[in-house]
């Protein structure tokens, strides 16, 4: 089943994001290599693809996991969580209707 992972950034998270970005992306790329990733990306603080020092408010990952517990455990082990960039993570079942 698909699950939507919403990572909510902590205040002033940009430096923490930058420090752990490569490790975070490596985990997401593993999902992609396994054919389990639907989409992933950050939510910029301002409406632009590169918000610079304005940073981000969080991220969204939609991927396939066996169950909610597995998806939640995966999300809690993310480098953004360990670095303190994500202050909270919500994991919800997701049903893709389109495309």
């Amino acid at each position: 089943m698909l699950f939507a992972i919403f990572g909510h950034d902590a205040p002033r998270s940009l430096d923490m994001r930058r420090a752990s970005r490569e490790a975070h992306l490596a985990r997401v790329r593993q999902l992609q290599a396994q054919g389990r990733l639907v989409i992933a990306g950050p939510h910029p603080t301002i409406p632009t693809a590169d918000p610079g020092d304005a940073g981000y408010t969080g991220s969204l990952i939609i991927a396939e996991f066996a169950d909610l517990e597995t998806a939640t455990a995966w999300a809690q082990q993310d480098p953004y969580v360990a670095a303190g960039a994500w202050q909270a993570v919500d994991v919800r079942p997701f049903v893709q209707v389109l495309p």
Side-chain angles (χ1 to χ4, degrees):
M1 166 146 213
L2 294 177
F3 291 88
I5 298 169
F6 300 92
H8 304 278
D9 274 30
R12 297 171 296 284
S13 63
L14 190 56
D15 288 341
M16 294 175 276
R17 271 181 166 269
R18 287 176 174 157
S20 55
R21 185 171 190 264
E22 288 308 314
H24 164 77
L25 290 177
R27 291 183 82 236
V28 176
R29 286 184 185 116
Q30 286 178 340
L31 293 174
Q32 183 179 25
Q34 295 165 353
R36 297 169 44 203
L37 181 66
V38 174
I39 195 166
H43 301 287
T45 302
I46 58 176
T48 181
D50 183 2
D53 289 339
Y56 302 90
T57 61
S59 301
L60 169 66
I61 299 167
I62 299 177
E64 184 178 343
F65 292 91
D67 52 45
L68 179 60
E69 293 77 19
T70 304
T72 300
W74 186 92
Q76 291 298 330
Q77 295 168 8
D78 193 279
Y80 281 173
V81 172
W86 285 353
Q87 68 180 356
V89 179
D90 293 322
V91 181
R92 301 179 199 163
F94 180 81
V95 176
Q96 183 175 359
V97 176
L98 295 171

